[in-house]
Amino acid sequence: MDRVLEEWLNERGISYSSLDKVGAEFRDGILRFPRLSISTGEHVGWKCRDLRSGRFYGDPAGIPHADTRPLCSTNELPASGAMICEGESDTMRLAQSSLPNTYASDVICIPGATACPAEWMPLLRKYESIHVFADADIAGRQLPDRLAHLVPGVRVVRLPESHDVCSFFLEHSEDDLRKLYEIAPVHVPTPGPIRTVGLQWDNAGADEHRDKLIRIVVESGVVLRPAGNNEFKGLCPFHDERTPSFS
């Protein structure tokens, strides 16, 4: 095994076999994670991490998160649940534990707290339960809120301060994390207008992306009505309200 890769894995408690669980490849100091088309499942590129500099980049560059599926370690058995982590490292570390098999869950990677596009909603809503293993930092606290605005009933596995999944396992046991999983509360999203995050477009394609977003929202059961200035509003599906706040 390459020394750079070995050190990177050991620092995080990740086994080499965990790379295969997410389809990752390592070559010339670069760890590459596959990006699959959200519509066809075909391979369209890579998310790359230079382990020497820590730099992330796309190959090819410029593919929006909304056009690809989230990185996923699929359970060997039919999965009824999803365990969501922030970042590839935590996803691989959780996938190598016994928790996904114990709770019949796939392990899904959200690249960051602000990267959860509405296009992923149909993929996430197929699961009966969703547990978020969010980092214990400001950005990590935002992730459950964004997910709960897309999919109701999200539960949050609250990690101790200054911990992510990798660092938790370096100091605690799987049984410790299992206890946190079993008491995970349902996350109540912050009240107020819902803003779709993670969508990327330029002015030239704004109409096309707007129509695509409207279709996704309508398919989820929200009734939208024109609100002027090229905007639409509807009743929030996650709150009991009479005045539309979903915009």
Side-chain angles (χ1 to χ4, degrees), residues 43-95:
H43 184 272
V44 294
W46 300 92
K47 179 180 180 180
C48 302
R49 179 168 186 172
D50 188 328
L51 298 190
R52 293 159 296 194
S53 66
R55 183 174 69 93
F56 284 98
Y57 62 92
D59 179 20
I63 303 176
H65 290 305
D67 290 349
T68 60
R69 299 180 181 182
L71 187 71
C72 180
S73 174
T74 305
N75 198 291
E76 296 177 359
L77 302 174
S80 59
M83 298 178 174
I84 294 180
C85 294
E86 183 184 346
E88 293 79 13
S89 301
D90 283 357
T91 300
M92 290 189 292
R93 182 60 187 89
L94 185 59

Side-chain angles (χ1 to χ4, degrees), residues 21 43 45 70 72 74 80 83 92 118 139 152 167 172 206 222 236 241 247:
K21 289 181 177 291
H43 184 272
C72 180
T74 305
S80 59
M83 298 178 174
M92 290 189 292
S167 66
H172 303 275
V222 176
C236 175
E241 63 180 16
S247 61

Side-chain angles (χ1 to χ4, degrees), residues 227-240:
N229 196 26
N230 205 27
E231 293 184 355
F232 293 82
K233 283 191 175 183
L235 295 176
C236 175
F238 312 116
H239 303 94
D240 183 15

Side-chain angles (χ1 to χ4, degrees), residues 84-87 110-116 132-135 137-149 154 156 187:
I84 294 180
C85 294
E86 183 184 346
I110 301 296
T114 60
C116 188
V132 182
F133 295 73
D135 295 355
D137 55 20
I138 294 177
R141 296 185 188 101
Q142 295 174 350
L143 178 58
D145 213 44
R146 297 182 185 278
L147 284 170
H149 276 146
V154 169
V156 181
H187 182 71

